[in-house]
Amino acid sequence: DGGITQSPKYLFRKEGQNVTLSCEQNLNHDAMYWYRQDPGQGLRLIYYSQIVNDFQKGDIAEGYSVSREKKESFPLTVTSAQKNPTAFYLCASSQVAGNEQFFGPGTRLTVL
Amino acid sequence: ILNVEQSPQSLHVQEGDSTNFTCSFPSSNFYALHWYRWETAKSPEALFVMTLNGDEKKKGRISATLNTKEGYSYLYIKGSQPEDSATYLCAFKVGGGNKLTFGTGTQLKVEL
């Protein structure tokens, strides 16, 4: 089945630690995205990548980093510089940038 | 950052009621307006992608209209069913852009 997988579903981290969230897609999509959702807010774009080895900052990139070494994979690292990392993180992909997006199941990150 | 607003924030209706909600977006430099449905414990799924002023799209009991000149889209659900309970998100794409800006969503609960 084609789709997007994110792991883990739940993640707990101690304050001051970096953590990496996984996102993999087998849809052969060129573009991939990371969003963050907080209660009462919409999906806010953290980073996106239009093609392998290229990525751009979204609206709230501070404290996050990404890589796009393979078409299928777009991992997100939440660094210790992110002031308020507890949130729900969604990964998405689209055939080309800006088109209809397909979403993964999300990862809920809690900083203890 | 573009401003995409959705109203109401939440809505409770009875089974069989028809309902509608609104997405407002900047009317300048419009390219596309997306609607997504996000059911609890699932991933958001695309409902419609609309690009032309006056566009109307329909999928079963759900339909949407688009007015790009005044910057709004309506989503209608006819004869609501409990399985329609979800958060409905709209997302706006500017001309020449390669990302979507999401609204905060309308949370719909359909009660028996």
Side-chain angles (χ1 to χ4, degrees):
Chain A
D1 284 334
I4 302 179
T5 57
Q6 289 185 244
S7 61
K9 190 172 180 179
Y10 298 97
L11 189 56
F12 297 89
R13 171 198 120 174
K14 289 184 180 177
E15 203 168 332
Q17 288 180 337
N18 291 357
V19 64
T20 297
L21 281 58
S22 166
C23 177
E24 304 277 330
Q25 55 101 357
N26 60 5
L27 299 167
N28 200 33
H29 285 171
D30 283 323
M32 296 186 75
Y33 313 81
W34 274 105
Y35 294 94
R36 167 182 173 140
Q37 196 211 19
D38 295 281
Q41 300 204 38
L43 299 180
R44 293 187 290 165
L45 184 64
I46 303 172
Y47 268 98
Y48 65 104
S49 167
Q50 297 181 74
I51 201 163
V52 175
N53 292 322
D54 180 68
F55 48 83
Q56 287 86 41
K57 292 181 180 180
D59 301 319
I60 55 165
E62 187 175 346
Y64 299 98
S65 66
V66 293
S67 63
R68 186 89 187 276
E69 296 175 3
K70 298 187 297 181
K71 189 174 187 177
E72 304 79 26
S73 178
F74 191 40
L76 174 75
T77 296
V78 184
T79 75
S80 56
Q82 168 50 232
K83 300 297 180 196
N84 187 18
T86 294
F88 185 71
Y89 291 87
L90 269 175
C91 178
S93 70
S94 63
Q95 196 157 22
V96 294
N99 280 15
E100 175 185 332
Q101 294 184 8
F102 294 77
F103 288 84
T107 292
R108 185 166 298 280
L109 173 65
T110 302
V111 174
L112 304 171
Chain B
I1 295 178
L2 298 170
N3 196 25
V4 179
E5 296 183 351
Q6 291 187 246
S7 63
Q9 190 173 357
S10 64
L11 196 54
H12 286 236
V13 301
Q14 297 296 312
E15 183 180 10
D17 288 350
S18 293
T19 186
N20 65 85
F21 21 95
T22 307
C23 173
S24 300
F25 51 85
S27 56
S28 60
N29 202 18
F30 173 87
Y31 187 84
L33 193 282
H34 296 216
W35 280 101
Y36 290 84
R37 175 167 61 196
W38 191 1
E39 295 177 68
T40 302
K42 294 187 178 180
S43 307
E45 288 184 340
L47 285 171
F48 306 115
V49 179
M50 309 176 79
T51 56
L52 298 175
N53 185 43
D55 221 1
E56 290 190 30
K57 299 264 185 174
K58 189 173 180 182
K59 186 181 284 189
R61 294 178 291 98
I62 303 177
S63 60
T65 61
L66 179 68
N67 184 323
T68 61
K69 294 186 179 177
E70 296 183 40
Y72 64 85
S73 175
Y74 293 139
L75 189 80
Y76 300 92
I77 302 179
K78 186 177 176 182
S80 301
Q81 299 297 308
E83 59 263 31
D84 296 326
S85 297
T87 296
Y88 291 83
L89 298 168
C90 69
F92 171 76
K93 180 182 174 184
V94 298
N98 44 29
K99 58 181 181 175
L100 298 178
T101 300
F102 281 83
T104 53
T106 292
Q107 188 173 19
L108 173 68
K109 184 162 173 126
V110 182
E111 294 164 341
L112 295 168

